[in-house]
Amino acid sequence: MPTIASTCIPPHPLRRASRLVACAAALLLAGCATQVPQDEGSRQAGDWDAQEDRVNDFDTWTLVGKAGLRTPDENTSANLDWNQHPHYFRMLISGPFGGGRNVLEGREGRFTLSNSEGRFEAETPEALMEEQLGWALPVSAMPDWVRGLPGGNDNYQMETDEFGFPSHLVQAGWEIDYRDWERFEGMWLPRRLVMNYDDIRITLVVNEWRSTDEEGQ
């Protein structure tokens, strides 16, 4: 009885190519499923959760930057040199809307503002700035806000971005948008934030974060 030889026919080139494309697509999708989001500044998902306790503990620092003030009547800016401690702060405000050189200080519930006109006191830093400068930063809450944290005394609403970082904070009548971040001593800290209250808009740009020695304060 004659034997029938079986012939192994190679797959059609187009069919083989389509299978290769399908495999490549499957590998690509698998890689995308496990890849964590990452932005141009190298922030990654999970970074904020991993550092939040460190940011909370980072309560002694110096911030050097610029604040832009926009109201229906004016659009101006000033330089800030802000030294912050748990029970003391000193903020040097200089430039156009600072009206020269103003030093705002707070210690143990007492607030003073010194400039070429003299030395003034008030019950809150906001009242002091409003009385002497005609405008006010939300100084009482800003030590937390500039680190990406909500203030501890008021209710708040916080939204986060795709990496889990704060993106929009609503608290005490203010709305804070976090626009940019920078790496400092192993932590991500805000580099640019915009604060809105009614028709007041304050843009804070941080040029430099510094660690501050707590001695002497």
Side-chain angles (χ1 to χ4, degrees), residues 150-168:
N153 298 326
D154 296 298
N155 294 327
Y156 68 90
Q157 296 178 352
M158 176 74 82
E159 297 176 14
T160 58
D161 62 17
E162 61 180 325
F163 306 102
F165 280 66
S167 61
H168 184 74

Side-chain angles (χ1 to χ4, degrees), residues 1-20:
M1 183 176 181
T3 59
I4 301 175
S6 61
T7 304
C8 181
I9 302 174
H12 191 279
L14 291 178
R15 194 175 298 122
R16 180 171 54 189
S18 65
R19 281 204 295 265
L20 289 175

Side-chain angles (χ1 to χ4, degrees), residues 6-48:
S6 61
T7 304
C8 181
I9 302 174
H12 191 279
L14 291 178
R15 194 175 298 122
R16 180 171 54 189
S18 65
R19 281 204 295 265
L20 289 175
V21 171
C23 291
L27 290 173
L28 181 60
L29 289 174
C32 292
T34 58
Q35 184 179 8
V36 296
Q38 181 172 331
D39 72 350
E40 294 181 357
S42 298
R43 287 187 303 136
Q44 295 185 9
D47 282 352
W48 180 258

